[in-house]
Amino acid sequence: MASRKLLFSLTAARRIRSRAPVLLSASPLPETSTSACHAAAAATKLSGGSPWAPLFSYRAFSSTRPAQKPAGDAPVPSAVDHKSIMPEDKFHKLADDTIHDLLEKLEEYGDSQQMDGFDIDYGNQVLTLRLGDLGTYVVNKQTPNRQIWLSSPVSGPARFDWDAATHSWVYRRTGVNLMRLLEKDIGELCGTPVDLS
């Protein structure tokens, strides 16, 4: 009796394995024509099996998409080892000087604005500027990357690297300077220009 159950299990496993998809390729399925659909339906009727059986028998599936290559000659950003570019102590000095200078200038600006909800806070190396209903800015250091990160309700998130040529923090994707971006964003939101340089 036990050998009969074992033989039945092995036979059932072979049938299932023959109909199971093989995960070999990540390429998308080609579009099927009407005649291909009719041929698959006819094959299903002839085999008496599942409507998916003909498809699984010759096509491989995967849940991942193939890697996309950039169009044309668009450069792909390479990984940068920021530790080799700037020593950590130099990064902290530059970033701390920038954030403390920004803190002072924004406090002066807030005093001149008399805006409801204007609040500036610096703690745990994070500068937070709240402009009431207009939104919140967050500026913080990212030591492993040697960057200053900004979260803006106007321009969104950005990561700034130190540019020795201009002695400023620059967002490499757009080339914008941290202080110029904040001046533009905050000036537009508050309706009064702000000088952060």
Side-chain angles (χ1 to χ4, degrees), residues 86-143:
M86 182 188 300
E88 187 172 337
D89 57 339
K90 181 178 179 183
F91 164 75
H92 283 299
K93 179 169 180 8
L94 290 168
D96 288 341
D97 289 349
T98 301
I99 292 174
H100 288 113
D101 190 45
L102 187 59
L103 174 65
E104 288 177 13
K105 290 183 177 169
L106 287 172
E107 283 176 336
E108 290 172 14
Y109 180 73
D111 291 341
S112 69
Q113 285 297 299
Q114 301 300 321
M115 174 191 290
D116 287 339
F118 188 98
D119 180 48
I120 191 160
D121 178 51
Y122 181 70
N124 296 325
Q125 301 182 356
V126 177
L127 174 69
T128 306
L129 172 64
R130 292 176 189 83
L131 299 175
D133 295 338
L134 300 177
T136 300
Y137 287 85
V138 179
V139 180
N140 65 315
K141 298 191 307 184
Q142 290 294 319
T143 304

Side-chain angles (χ1 to χ4, degrees), residues 156-168:
R159 300 174 179 192
F160 295 84
D161 294 288
W162 179 252
D163 182 42
T166 60
H167 298 284
S168 62

Side-chain angles (χ1 to χ4, degrees), residues 66-89:
Q68 299 291 325
K69 293 182 180 178
D73 295 329
V76 177
S78 60
V80 176
D81 181 10
H82 297 280
K83 292 178 185 175
S84 67
I85 295 172
M86 182 188 300
E88 187 172 337
D89 57 339

